[in-house]
Every structure is written in C-alpha cells, then in structure tokens.
Amino acid sequence: MRRRTVLKSTGAVGTIVGVAGCLGGGRFGDSNPDVVLEEPDREFESSDVPYPAWGEQIPDVSVSTPTESREVRLRDIETPALLTFFYSHCQTVCPVLISTQRNIQSHAQNNGYADAVTFFPMTFDPGRDTADRLGAYADEMNVDADSENWQFLRPASKQRAKEVIQDQFGVMFQRTDPEDMDMYMFTHTALTLLVNADGFVERAYRSKSPDEETIIADLKTVRNA
C-alpha cells in the first residue's frame, strides 16, 4: 500500500443502524484491492449504512487539533489508524470507546509497534471539549496523549462538528437535556473505524463495547500487509 505523510497539516444526518456491526470473519472469495481484510460476515452492503464501512474510503476532510494550531487531513496518514467519536462528559458509552483505544495504544507500546498505528478520537462537543478539558480527560482516562500516535481532534465549532461527524462520517449525535442533570448530554452512534494507510475502512465496529482483542488482531493483519 502507498504510505503518506503522517498528520500532514492542511489549511444527510446519519441514523443508528441496529444491524450495522462489522465484526466476524470474512466470506470466502470476497476481495477488494483497496483493503487487506476480507469482507466481514454481515447482512448488508457498505453502501447501505450511513457511515463509511468495509472497502470505502473515509471522507476527505480536515479537522482541527484541540489548540487549533493545525488541521489534520485524515486521508494523509502513513499508518493504519483507529478513529472513534465521543464527548468527554459522556458517562456511558464514550469511556468504554476511549478505554478500548487506550488499551490498544498500551498494547502497541508494549509490543513494539507504537509507530505503526495512530489514534484519532474526535469530539462532537467542541464547546466544552477545549484543549484544557481534553488534557484533563486524557489524565482521567490514563491515556498517553503526549505520544506521537495519539491525537485528539476537535472540530472548530458546533456547526463544523455536524458537518464532519454527522454529514460526512454518518455518526448521529443529538443533544439532550436530562431533567436530573445540570448539564446537557448526547445520544449518539457508537462507532470505531479501523482505516488503512490509504484511507480505506478495513473494519467498522458498531459496538458500544468493542472487542479489543479482535481489533488488535485485525490491526496486526493490516499493519503487516
């Protein structure tokens, strides 16, 4: 596969699909020259779901870093990458998604392939998820955010978050105002994408609790291709 410059700087609302998990083994005989992993067992085609799935290229978008010091063009990576979508005040799904990425990051660091994978957690709550907040959140979650392979992404505004995360990536999020809480929350799609170095989706894990051993095994196949 072609390799590109890592983290190169550049200047229809999705819906939750209940059967949209992309876990499981491949189907014999299926192939796609843009991906390494075989097509997963599933009851739908990639074009049938709102998010980029197996064999599809991720949107050609650029997203700001938390300090807005640069923008990251997500197709311009030289390693396989794991993308997920979250907000730091979430008390249910997001801590699990971020913990899964943290555990895979630790596995990469402990097994000598830290420079062969990049992690891109992207917030859809830029109003509260400032650079300071995300730094504190990284400490809370025991994430090594100072590592070169971890980069929080923060769209510059609420509108930009909608344009990128909902309209481009097909990840639904909707603000709620629980009566028993003094702050707003979100309902949202749980999605983790394994993307190869050419920007094509190898796996779309549609789970609130992704299996990290499965992701580690899939990642190994992709990075060793």
Side-chain angles (χ1 to χ4, degrees):
M1 290 185 174
R2 290 173 289 125
R3 294 294 182 260
R4 297 174 178 159
T5 304
V6 66
L7 299 181
K8 179 179 178 183
S9 299
T10 67
V13 176
T15 57
I16 296 176
V17 181
V19 298
C22 288
L23 303 176
R27 298 186 298 194
F28 180 78
D30 291 330
S31 63
N32 184 316
D34 295 318
V35 293
V36 175
L37 299 177
E38 293 289 342
E39 183 176 5
D41 291 327
R42 56 187 183 170
E43 299 178 352
F44 59 90
E45 298 295 328
S46 294
S47 58
D48 293 334
V49 293
Y51 51 84
W54 177 83
E56 295 183 327
Q57 200 166 26
I58 60 172
D60 189 10
V61 295
S62 298
V63 186
S64 301
T65 58
T67 61
E68 298 187 14
S69 61
R70 63 178 175 179
E71 289 197 340
V72 175
R73 187 182 181 206
L74 291 174
R75 287 187 183 178
D76 285 350
I77 56 176
E78 69 172 10
T79 71
L82 284 167
L83 282 69
T84 197
F85 307 87
F86 79 107
Y87 71 110
S88 69
H89 288 81
C90 179
Q91 300 175 9
T92 54
V93 177
C94 300
V96 179
L97 297 177
I98 297 299
S99 293
T100 298
Q101 297 231 341
R102 176 202 64 206
N103 292 343
I104 298 170
Q105 183 194 43
S106 296
H107 187 275
Q109 292 171 332
N110 294 333
N111 290 274
Y113 64 95
D115 60 350
V117 58
T118 310
F119 300 87
F120 291 112
M122 188 187 309
T123 179
F124 43 80
D125 187 17
R128 292 184 297 186
D129 284 343
T130 62
D132 288 344
R133 169 61 186 169
L134 290 176
Y137 185 66
D139 291 340
E140 292 173 15
M141 298 299 296
N142 296 315
V143 167
D144 184 5
D146 293 328
S147 173
E148 291 184 1
N149 70 4
W150 186 283
Q151 179 63 71
F152 282 116
L153 297 177
R154 176 181 174 268
S157 66
K158 180 173 66 174
Q159 180 60 33
R160 182 61 177 162
K162 179 183 181 299
E163 291 171 356
V164 172
I165 298 175
Q166 281 199 158
D167 298 344
Q168 295 291 320
F169 276 94
V171 174
M172 185 282 294
F173 60 93
Q174 183 174 352
R175 175 172 165 163
T176 64
D177 294 281
E179 294 182 356
D180 59 344
M181 301 185 72
D182 59 359
M183 60 180 174
Y184 65 84
M185 305 296 281
F186 289 93
T187 58
H188 62 93
T189 305
L191 180 68
T192 300
L193 299 176
L194 171 57
V195 180
N196 65 32
D198 291 316
F200 287 90
V201 175
E202 296 278 358
R203 284 289 184 267
Y205 308 97
R206 265 289 285 113
S207 171
K208 296 179 179 179
S209 182
D211 185 273
E212 61 192 57
E213 295 302 321
T214 297
I215 299 176
I216 288 170
D218 289 342
L219 175 60
K220 181 178 181 179
T221 300
V222 174
R223 64 186 176 83
N224 289 339

